[in-house]
Amino acid sequence: MSDTSSFYITTPIYYVNARPHIGHAYTTVVADAIARRKRALGFDTWLLTGTDEHGQKIDRAARQAGRSPLEFATAVSSQFRSLWDRMGLRYDDYIRTTEERHRKGVQKLFRVLQERGFIYKGSYTGQYCVSDELYVDAPPGSPCPDCGRITETVSEENYFFKLSAFEHKLLDLYEQHPEFIRPEGRRNEVISFVRGGLKDLSVSRTSFDWGVPVPGDPKHVIYVWMDALANYITALGYGSDAPEDQQRFARYWPASLQLVGKEIIRFHCVYWPAFLMAAGLALPKSVAANGWLLFEQSKMSKSRGNVVRAETIIEILGADALRYFLMREVVFGQDGSFSFDALVQRYNADLANGYGNLTSRILAMINQYFEGVVPHGESDPRVMAAADTAAHDFARHFEALDFSLALESLWGLVAVVDGYITERAPWKLGTTEDGAVRRASILYTCAEALRIITALAYPVLPEATARIWAQLGLGNIGHADLKNVHWGQLAPGTKLGPTGPIFPRAEKDTVKRMHDLENNNTVKSAEAEAAPVSEAAVMTSTPAAPTPAPQPTPADQSAAVAASKATEAIAAKAPAALTTAASLGTTTPEPPPPPPAKPTITIDDFAKVELRVGQVQVAERVKGADRLLRLEVNLGDEVRQIVAGIAEAYEPETLVGRKVVIVANLQPRKLRGLESNGMIVAASVGEKGKPVLAGFLEDIEIGARLK
């Protein structure tokens, strides 16, 4: 059992299918701020973060990028760690699920559950969402209830965990410990799910091998969510025989607080406590779910193209500006909106014109009137009372994870002190002895209020408060005793440190500069990513100049990569190039110089492209996209969702029942948040590249393969 003075806090471990954005940064910033405050209050604090690197989704993403899964995971994980370091986040450990220490711990957990009779072997046939690594109780072709993508039918031998045995135990947990799930809305959501009935959970896969092998049965890999959830204990030393690891586990487990995104609350509040109960381990004290950070009213994601990189904001306004915006503007537990305009408005109002300007006013007057030394003076009772109230309210709201209200109460004190200076106008008091005494009291009151504001704001604004603390002449805030901040702790006679601006006002072009930098970073990132040739690049309206002959495809590279290369050669040779949704409507570029001899492909290369006949069952427009249609295409043995850029040429109702040709073995991709599982084949006709669907004069069987 952990010591009562210890505080163990975790972030979710982030999935390495794409590089980090400010949606990921939000949860990590919150965790860092909580950990900083707990350390300042004297708690023995341990903050864990890391990356989730196993599972079918990562396996597919790596193969699409032409890398091994480990190479792919390592590259993306390093981007997360690099960003956290650049933001100054003070984590105590960074766990990767590909580490040996994690593998040992996961296998130990699996063995313990087996030995205690909670795991048995069986078989599973049903629906699975690869994107969410989630089993879905629904008929074939159904969308995932969480992300909306079409699920895949899987049938394989599995090990099962007796989740059904924990239905009543979980409901008792939620009732007896309402603080276990926060906020209340998420708690009600989980209770409703469990009351709907729990089925035993498949906890192994055999259709791929990128994961932790089941001990004693290596053809199985452990289900990615059992693997991932175990990181919270494997990072502390669970599964290790080393005394120091066992001591760390005893010291910090159970976790005091586990922060997660709302989309994974079920895994953390149903599966995770059930695994722990079955293993005879203590449960975390609380799991708190934050909402999504929305951009243009949609959750940020690479597939939607609405990702905002934290680096963009850091380069223009600094890490503290991002930290403050996320914790002040977004109510924890609810969805929040982000825009560069809102960021700059909040920065200028609260940081530049508020806290930063107040600091400059106070310190400049102490330098001017008292030679840079904090004067002796009587404290103003009204400001003292406001400071006591602000400190009390800040602590209460922060402990309740209501960071927005906590900062609102603290910035209320900023406004009080700013108004106090304006009202008392120390610059008007003249040079008389009485004026000097009154001025000293005013400026001591202001300096002490500034110290309290700075001490309380430190967990949220670590860089800025460290500089202000030093300017107040108080040294390194990281070494300061902040356990019991109260009025009167600033000693008169303290010599100020060198002063300077803290939050320069953001100029009118700041929003444009961030937009430009974001666009530039996005382009650079896209160019640097080691991904296969995109459909848009392959299916252009003008053949590209030939590239050197490709090297033989590695044995573990996916068929989709080979198909893309083969199709590129076909497009270069065809009189009318093929097109896709991503390239439709673009202007035809100027003709290039006459190319050298066009490359050829072998019949084996062509055979890698799987062309099949499908029949459109559903066709509808994609909201917000003039050129896109969402199609459900029957291939005989399955129904595929395909997003195609043909809406300007075809009305949806005219396509229902029509037979089309699709490239069936392309790696799935996302357009406007919808997964497109295949590519519809069309010719690109005329200067504007109007699409004309490939078709047949004769009747042909649905699902037939083209040769």
Side-chain angles (χ1 to χ4, degrees):
M1 180 66 68
S2 64
D3 190 275
T4 54
S5 65
S6 68
F7 188 86
Y8 178 37
I9 180 171
T10 67
T11 74
I13 52 172
Y14 301 105
Y15 216 42
V16 293
N17 60 315
R19 63 171 294 156
H21 54 70
I22 64 170
H24 300 110
Y26 174 47
T27 313
T28 320
V29 162
V30 168
D32 179 75
I34 294 172
R36 285 177 184 271
R37 179 163 172 81
K38 288 296 182 180
R39 292 188 192 104
L41 295 176
F43 284 82
D44 176 16
T45 303
W46 194 268
L47 169 58
L48 173 69
T49 190
T51 43
D52 179 5
E53 303 180 13
H54 285 143
Q56 190 172 10
K57 186 176 180 180
I58 300 302
D59 185 57
R60 289 184 178 181
R63 295 181 187 281
Q64 181 184 7
R67 297 183 178 185
S68 73
L70 182 58
E71 289 173 336
F72 181 88
T74 298
V76 180
S77 180
S78 67
Q79 292 173 343
F80 275 91
R81 189 162 192 162
S82 176
L83 177 59
W84 300 163
D85 291 344
R86 184 176 180 186
M87 293 182 68
L89 302 179
R90 288 182 55 194
Y91 50 86
D92 296 282
D93 196 1
Y94 186 101
I95 185 76
R96 296 181 58 193
T97 58
T98 48
E99 294 180 53
E100 179 63 15
R101 59 170 173 160
H102 179 72
R103 183 190 67 80
K104 287 182 178 179
V106 172
Q107 290 184 325
K108 177 181 178 178
L109 177 63
F110 195 94
R111 283 195 301 269
V112 168
L113 296 178
Q114 266 187 317
E115 292 165 359
R116 293 169 69 94
F118 291 105
I119 286 182
Y120 62 92
K121 184 178 279 190
S123 61
Y124 175 82
T125 297
Q127 301 309 112
Y128 189 79
C129 175
V130 176
S131 179
D132 291 334
E133 301 286 5
L134 175 68
Y135 292 96
V136 177
D137 186 13
S142 298
C144 171
D146 288 355
C147 70
R149 298 174 180 87
I150 299 298
T151 57
E152 298 182 11
T153 302
V154 298
S155 181
E156 56 187 350
E157 179 184 81
N158 299 111
Y159 285 92
F160 284 81
F161 171 73
K162 294 181 179 178
L163 183 63
S164 59
F166 293 89
E167 183 175 323
H168 296 296
K169 293 179 181 179
L170 289 169
L171 291 173
D172 289 343
L173 168 67
Y174 309 146
E175 181 179 355
Q176 296 169 16
H177 299 280
E179 75 284 357
F180 179 73
I181 307 175
R182 293 188 281 176
E184 185 178 1
R186 300 279 84 82
R187 178 173 173 269
N188 294 337
E189 174 188 320
V190 171
I191 290 173
S192 177
F193 174 78
V194 175
R195 282 178 176 166
L198 295 179
K199 295 182 179 180
D200 289 354
L201 177 69
S202 172
V203 289
S204 76
R205 300 293 305 275
T206 56
S207 56
F208 62 96
D209 60 4
W210 180 237
V212 176
V214 167
D217 197 351
K219 75 175 183 177
H220 289 257
V221 294
I222 296 173
Y223 175 44
V224 66
W225 271 108
M226 175 177 280
D227 172 354
L229 289 165
N231 90 90
Y232 304 124
I233 55 177
T234 63
L236 292 180
Y238 181 84
S240 171
D241 296 327
E244 60 271 21
D245 291 334
Q246 295 176 348
Q247 290 169 7
R248 189 186 310 110
F249 183 78
R251 180 177 176 179
Y252 291 111
W253 189 258
S256 304
L257 178 63
Q258 299 203 254
L259 298 178
V260 301
K262 69 176 185 179
E263 71 277 11
I264 55 175
I265 190 72
R266 183 192 314 170
F267 301 101
H268 284 80
C269 294
V270 180
Y271 300 169
W272 181 224
F275 293 156
L276 293 170
M277 288 177 183
L281 297 172
L283 305 185
K285 298 173 185 176
S286 184
V287 178
N290 59 259
W292 289 341
L293 197 59
L294 307 178
F295 185 75
E296 298 177 348
Q297 302 307 308
S298 296
K299 180 189 175 187
M300 288 190 192
S301 71
K302 182 179 178 181
S303 60
R304 290 189 176 97
N306 63 353
V307 167
V308 177
R309 304 178 191 282
E311 296 92 331
T312 299
I313 299 164
I314 294 171
E315 288 184 29
I316 303 295
L317 294 177
D320 274 3
L322 176 59
R323 292 172 66 100
Y324 182 81
F325 178 86
L326 293 175
M327 298 193 71
R328 175 64 180 87
E329 192 80 7
V330 181
V331 177
F332 187 84
Q334 300 179 17
D335 291 346
S337 296
F338 175 86
S339 72
F340 289 123
D341 292 277
L343 170 67
V344 170
Q345 289 174 15
R346 178 66 71 180
Y347 171 87
N348 277 336
D350 290 11
L351 299 180
N353 298 338
Y355 184 31
N357 184 58
L358 178 66
T359 300
S360 297
R361 296 179 75 188
I362 294 170
L363 300 185
M365 286 189 286
I366 292 176
N367 276 321
Q368 179 180 350
Y369 296 112
F370 296 98
E371 298 181 344
V373 176
V374 176
H376 294 262
E378 296 293 329
S379 298
D380 186 282
R382 185 183 57 165
V383 178
M384 289 175 61
D388 287 343
T389 299
H392 177 268
D393 290 347
F394 180 87
R396 176 168 57 89
H397 292 310
F398 203 98
E399 191 66 25
L401 307 184
D402 197 340
F403 311 111
S404 183
L405 271 181
L407 290 170
E408 183 180 340
S409 65
L410 186 56
W411 256 249
L413 179 58
V414 171
V416 167
V417 179
D418 200 45
Y420 173 72
I421 294 174
T422 301
E423 175 189 320
R424 297 302 176 93
W427 54 89
K428 293 182 178 181
L429 295 177
T431 58
T432 65
E433 183 178 346
D434 178 65
V437 170
R438 291 167 59 193
R439 185 182 294 115
S441 294
I442 294 169
L443 292 180
Y444 177 80
T445 296
C446 292
E448 176 62 337
L450 179 63
R451 182 191 66 85
I452 289 176
I453 293 167
T454 301
L456 294 174
Y458 163 67
V460 179
L461 299 170
E463 293 181 9
T465 54
R467 293 168 61 196
I468 294 173
W469 199 258
Q471 291 185 20
L472 279 167
L474 300 175
N476 187 337
I477 196 171
H479 299 156
D481 183 0
L482 303 179
K483 295 185 186 68
N484 184 23
V485 177
H486 60 267
W487 193 272
Q489 293 173 317
L490 177 61
T494 299
K495 176 68 176 176
L496 299 185
T499 59
I502 303 298
F503 293 110
R505 181 174 174 81
E507 300 302 329
K508 293 181 179 179
D509 67 341
T510 301
V511 171
K512 181 180 184 303
R513 288 167 60 206
M514 286 193 288
H515 275 296
D516 291 345
L517 183 59
E518 179 68 14
N519 292 336
N520 186 48
N521 285 339
T522 300
V523 170
K524 287 183 178 179
S525 175
E527 290 174 348
E529 286 180 354
V533 180
S534 68
E535 293 175 20
V538 172
M539 309 303 186
T540 55
S541 56
T542 302
T547 56
Q551 296 298 311
T553 304
D556 66 344
Q557 194 172 18
S558 69
V561 176
S564 294
K565 292 180 178 179
T567 310
E568 181 177 18
I570 296 171
K573 190 175 181 180
L578 301 173
T579 186
T580 69
S583 63
L584 287 172
T586 58
T587 304
T588 304
E590 291 296 322
K598 296 177 181 178
T600 60
I601 62 171
T602 68
I603 190 64
D604 292 334
D605 289 328
F606 179 78
K608 295 172 184 175
V609 183
E610 184 183 348
L611 299 174
R612 295 183 64 186
V613 178
Q615 185 175 49
V616 178
Q617 293 185 333
V618 175
E620 59 186 17
R621 294 188 180 276
V622 175
K623 185 177 180 181
D626 294 337
R627 293 176 294 178
L628 300 183
L629 294 181
R630 187 189 76 86
L631 309 176
E632 293 182 15
V633 182
N634 181 13
L635 296 183
D637 55 354
E638 63 174 317
V639 176
R640 298 273 192 96
Q641 176 174 270
I642 297 176
V643 181
I646 58 175
E648 293 179 327
Y650 294 92
E651 292 297 325
E653 58 271 16
T654 65
L655 295 173
V656 176
R658 179 164 179 164
K659 291 180 180 178
V660 293
V661 178
I662 71 165
V663 181
N665 61 338
L666 282 180
Q667 183 72 30
R669 59 174 302 191
K670 292 184 67 179
L671 295 166
R672 292 287 180 141
L674 298 171
E675 183 168 285
S676 184
N677 196 1
M679 184 186 75
I680 194 165
V681 175
S684 178
V685 178
E687 293 184 359
K688 294 185 178 181
K690 178 183 177 181
V692 177
L693 294 175
F696 305 93
L697 295 176
E698 298 85 358
D699 189 26
I700 189 167
E701 181 183 359
I702 296 172
R705 286 172 167 78
L706 278 65
K707 299 180 180 180

